[in-house]
Amino acid sequence: MKLVRAITQAVLLAAVAAAAAFAYNAVQPNGIDPFRRPAEAPVVDRTLDLPGDGSGEPREGISYISLEELREMLEAGDPVIDARTAGEFEGGHIPGAILCDYYEMGTYFRTVLPRLSPEMRIAVYCSGPLCEDSEMLARELYALGYTDLRVFRGGIEEWTAAGMPLEAGYGEDR
Amino acid sequence: MTIERNGSMRRAAPADLILERDGLGAGERLWPPLSNRWFLLACRLLLAAVFTYAALQKIGRPLLFADEIRMYGVIDHGPALYLLAIVLPWVELFCGISLLTGLLMRGSALILAVVNVVFIVVIAYRSAAIMNAEGIGLSQVFFDCGCGFGPTYAWKKLIEDTVFFFAALAILSAPGYRLVLATARGRRKG
């Protein structure tokens, strides 16, 4: 009987916790739809050397870019998005990058999306070749109507290995 | 006045005696130190602190937690994954609050005992997969278990969760009056 009481309490506690969880999930900006499907986007090319490469021509979908192409985009003033966390961004990011933590995109989209427009070429990066957050974020952006997304797979790892400068803090981003 | 099952009547029981009836009491019969008041209080505070902190690291970032759960290779996708990512941190939080306040304490001890067994099983499962894939021993397996405390060695996590399991079990099995914080009252009662 005593165990039954413990089980009853456990069920009650779990039910209250679940109710609170769903209520909070419904109102907070990073809440998720439990029936969501990961965003999909066509991948133009997974190789870094597209024939006739050059950031000039618009592409439909996600393409991977090299460090060289990223630099061209930076020079051209195209938006470059950092998909890592605020802490990682603060520790050092590509100069001029816009912070948009993939896992808190609901929050960041409020300030980031107004700075983007659908016809822009948008570069996205994260820590390095092993992280997938840049591509995941690019897919989410594609689902929102931004069509030309360029993922710099090398990320911060390749950027620093090439001896490129990092910018610390939040810069003009906050 | 309360009416007992056998129909007799007695004076309204003080709170600690009411709690005593709730207790499983098995711990005390098994090994008396298990139901030492201070030991039980330490168990409560330990579990409350750990699970409240862990919950707060995960609440508000369900997508991140879903990714961390996915890494175990047990639930890969779909509503089950996301529901777990939304609900589990809140269950941990409510268990923490429950152990701190004493409300529904047995229920939370039962939940924590069960989830820690699940944690131990899935961490062992994932560790075994990593050991096989990388040809390393358990002592070298290092990953972020998604527990809320960052990356750590799997063996440490296995020991921690075993401690948490037994702490929860001690609370679950203690006689109720031993869980009352007002020890002065308990002492008066002898």
Side-chain angles (χ1 to χ4, degrees), chain A residues 6 30 32 34 44 57 76 103 111 141 146 151-152 162-163 169 171:
Chain A
N30 297 306
I32 53 173
V44 179
E57 309 139 39
Y103 294 107
T111 50
L141 286 168
Y146 302 90
V151 174
F152 174 49

Side-chain angles (χ1 to χ4, degrees), chain B residues 118-141:
Chain B
V118 175
F119 291 166
I120 290 167
V121 170
V122 294
I123 289 171
Y125 174 79
R126 184 168 163 195
S127 300
I130 293 175
M131 285 157 67
N132 280 334
E134 297 181 17
I136 54 174
L138 179 62
S139 61
Q140 291 165 286
V141 177

Side-chain angles (χ1 to χ4, degrees), chain A residues 1-3 5-14 16-18 20-22 24-25 28 30-38 85 101-105 133 136 140, chain B residues 5 18 20-25 59-67 70 78-80 82-83 85-87 90-91 94-95 98 103-108 110-111 172:
Chain A
M1 282 311 286
K2 286 164 179 174
L3 188 60
R5 183 168 298 188
I7 293 171
T8 311
Q9 286 189 2
V11 171
L12 181 62
L13 199 69
V16 174
F22 289 123
Y24 182 67
N25 186 62
Q28 70 123 337
N30 297 306
I32 53 173
D33 170 11
F35 299 97
R36 76 194 290 277
R37 296 180 154 278
T85 65
D101 179 355
Y102 167 64
Y103 294 107
E104 293 188 13
M105 57 187 166
D133 299 345
M136 301 299 277
E140 297 288 342
Chain B
R5 279 213 191 91
I18 291 173
E20 184 177 11
R21 291 188 303 158
D22 294 348
L24 300 183
I59 284 174
R61 294 197 291 176
L63 200 53
L64 177 62
F65 189 41
D67 259 16
R70 189 184 288 126
Y82 296 119
L83 287 172
I86 293 169
V87 173
W90 282 88
V91 171
F94 274 65
C95 285
S98 153
L103 288 170
L104 302 176
M105 204 162 20
R106 302 221 181 259
S108 56
L110 179 61
I111 290 176
L172 190 63

Side-chain angles (χ1 to χ4, degrees), chain A residues 35-70:
Chain A
F35 299 97
R36 76 194 290 277
R37 296 180 154 278
E40 292 295 335
V43 176
V44 179
D45 203 324
R46 289 190 185 275
T47 59
L48 294 176
D49 302 310
L50 287 177
D53 195 77
S55 49
E57 309 139 39
R59 298 174 197 153
E60 168 79 21
I62 293 174
S63 53
Y64 289 2
I65 55 169
S66 61
L67 177 64
E68 209 45 52
E69 195 175 341
L70 179 73

Side-chain angles (χ1 to χ4, degrees), chain A residues 71-94:
Chain A
R71 288 178 64 184
E72 282 171 27
M73 288 181 70
L74 281 165
E75 277 165 28
D78 293 324
V80 175
I81 293 176
D82 188 322
R84 301 174 302 155
T85 65
E88 289 168 319
F89 184 86
E90 198 179 3
H93 55 268
I94 293 177

